[in-house]
Amino acid sequence: MSQPIERESMEVDVLFIGAGPATLASAIHLMSQVEAFNKGAEAAGKVPIEPPSVLVLEKSAGVGDHMLSGGVMNPKAIAELVPDFQDQGFPTEYVCNYAGFWVFHPKGKLSLPAPPNFRKKGYHVVSLNKVAKWMGERAEAAGVDIYPGFAGDKLLLEGNRVVGVRTGDMGVDKEGKPKGTYAAGMDIFAKVTVLGEGVRGTLSKQLIERFELQGDNPQTYETGVKEIWKINPKKHKPGRVVHGMAFPEILKGFHGMWLYDMQDDLISYGFVTLLENENPNTDPHLQAQKFKTTPWMRWLLEDAELVRYGAKCIPTGGLYSQPKLYHDGALLVGDSASMCNAQNLAGIHMAIKSGMLAADTIVEALAQQDFSTKTLGGYAERYRKSWAYDEHYQARNFAPSVQKGLAFFGLNEPLRMISGGRGLMDHMSLDPGHTHMKRLAELPSKERERESFEFDGKLTFTKEHLVGFSGTVHEADQPSHLVVADTDLCSTTCAEEYGNPCEKFCPAAVYEMVDDSENPGRKKLFIHHENCVHCKTCDIADPYQVITWTPPEGGEGPDYTQM
Ligand SMILES: Cc1cc2nc3c(=O)[nH]c(=O)nc-3n(C[C@H](O)[C@H](O)[C@H](O)COP(=O)(O)OP(=O)(O)OC[C@H]3O[C@@H](n4cnc5c(N)ncnc54)[C@H](O)[C@@H]3O)c2cc1C
Ligand code: SF4
């Protein structure tokens, strides 16, 4: 490809990257607020805003197809966005009427009083996949264009100003050569680009790193593994919302689980593993499988059928890990802006609210035709005055408290609850999770070995089997979208020091160390990129930070229908 590449280009006023709750709420609110502004301007004899051209790019084949969430949503933000959302057919599965906090132990389960962050009565159990589709339809009805199947690949800059995004090339073979189907990525120029790519977004990472927008703390993460099962109708309880943990395993490290009943006798089950473990053998998929063998879960699922599988990371750092929310020509919303309230495992309402606050700011920018930080900085001010900031402020020391270990957490939590989120110390610092991983030689000898576990194929399944339930599809003949900067490191230093943790932390069996026929006795990395479920764990957890997740061809990846 030595010839200069000819690219199509287009211009819009506002460009949203990702069709998640944050950007879709933003697009819907933007259209209604422009209308409201113009009504006011007409009455006051002022200049109206030209109806803006608004485009949403989404990497999945259809809106919602890459959505994965536990699915119990605080309804306050959707009620602000669409006050009659229930009459408008919002896809609520059930409204929570029981919020349990259970400890699962070798003899059954113990129900404890739910701590304040898990009191979710009145919250809506949802499939985020269906919610995104519902929001997408509303956005389109309001005049927003949505292009699914297009991944934002690179930020377009003029000097230090973001002026748009280049989409990924299509039809390139695994050697990097154009195939018959080749189409160069498009340059899309915009007055303002709103990054709502969710967790560990590609363009958000580029923006934050290049312009040093990271907040006081680095971001930290968990990996959530989710399964949907169809259970025996006699065991199904509409409105049930359970959060819990396993005992005695909880004494060895933090984890959490959820169980929410959905329509049609389905349940959403998920297990969350912190990505700041000392042991390189930590395996979020295995944890999720083992949890199902606790007696109560075994009883629940003994006559049930697995329907779907997937995984996705959750940004947990909270307020002090929040990047600067604006830059010349760009705004960050939702998980890309660390809006998720990990203390409550609740990010959907925060994403929606941040999108709405961004939209209010864009209306002002359109009215003034100023898309510099002078006007876009109004987003941070609006956020600071909102309930979303108050909620985040209350949870501000949660992630650092978790990182200090169980003993500190146990002491600090009650104090944090009664001191408005302060606890023993305020503005606590955090380390990046991967720096907590120890070399095998530093661990007690019995923890160095990989755990052996027999998957029974009925209740517990291998990664390879479960990937089939994620619906993920990637063209094999394309460059791997998992870019490993130094694969020699995998065969040598990493094998010795950490025992290749990528084989463990990836929940989709993408990374495999195979015999290297050219170097007998040595192994080399093989990447099954077709299996990737876009969870982003590898980009985060690799101890050497040499793995970069990049968007594959638009339209590829999991199919998270119902998730
Ligand atoms: C396992 C798990 C359980 C959770 N449980 C709950 C819960 O019960 N309740 C709750 O309130 N919150 C929960 N959350 C958090 C909540 O789901 C998120 O905070 C919320 O979805 C964030 O919304 P978003 O719009 O910022 O990003 P997302 O929902 O992640 O959407 C981002 C979209 O952008 C697309 N995208 C990404 N990069 C690109 C690109 N470069 N080009 C084009 N498109 C791109 C993605 O495909 C995706 O469709 C959970 C999260 C996880 C992972
Ligand atoms: S390759 Fe990375 S992003 Fe893909 S499933 Fe594995 S850990 Fe997740």
Side-chain angles (χ1 to χ4, degrees), residues 482 506-508 510-511 532-538 549:
L482 291 322
C506 170
V510 168
Y511 298 98
C532 177
V533 296
H534 297 201
C535 72
K536 314 276 177 83
T537 304
C538 52
W549 187 95

Side-chain angles (χ1 to χ4, degrees), residues 17-23 57-60 64 66-74 120 128 150-153 196-199 201-203 223-226 243 258 260 272 312-315 333-336 340 344-349 351 536 549 551:
I17 307 300
T23 49
L57 295 185
E58 168 54 51
K59 67 180 164 65
S60 61
H66 289 180
M67 286 291 127
L68 184 151
S69 190
V72 63
M73 183 193 76
N74 183 334
K120 306 228 176 186
L128 198 55
F150 286 87
D153 196 42
E197 303 171 279
V199 65
T202 303
L203 304 177
T223 298
V225 167
K226 174 168 175 176
H243 294 97
W258 76 79
Y260 313 142
V272 169
K312 191 166 176 178
C313 289
I314 308 168
V333 293
D335 278 4
S336 293
C340 184
N344 298 14
L345 188 58
I348 303 172
H349 69 299
K536 314 276 177 83
W549 187 95

Side-chain angles (χ1 to χ4, degrees), residues 320-359:
Y320 299 135
S321 298
Q322 205 150 42
K324 189 171 166 195
L325 300 177
Y326 59 95
H327 184 75
D328 276 327
L331 296 173
L332 288 156
V333 293
D335 278 4
S336 293
S338 186
M339 286 288 167
C340 184
N341 176 353
Q343 170 194 273
N344 298 14
L345 188 58
I348 303 172
H349 69 299
M350 299 288 277
I352 293 173
K353 182 66 181 176
S354 69
M356 292 172 71
L357 296 166

Side-chain angles (χ1 to χ4, degrees), residues 466-479:
L466 285 169
V467 166
F469 287 80
S470 71
T472 204
V473 176
H474 294 89
E475 161 71 49
D477 186 16
Q478 66 174 306

Side-chain angles (χ1 to χ4, degrees), residues 161-164 190-194 327-331 371-373 376:
R161 190 163 67 94
V162 176
V163 294
K191 291 175 177 155
V192 58
T193 302
V194 184
H327 184 75
D328 276 327
L331 296 173
F371 303 92
S372 69
T373 52
L376 295 186

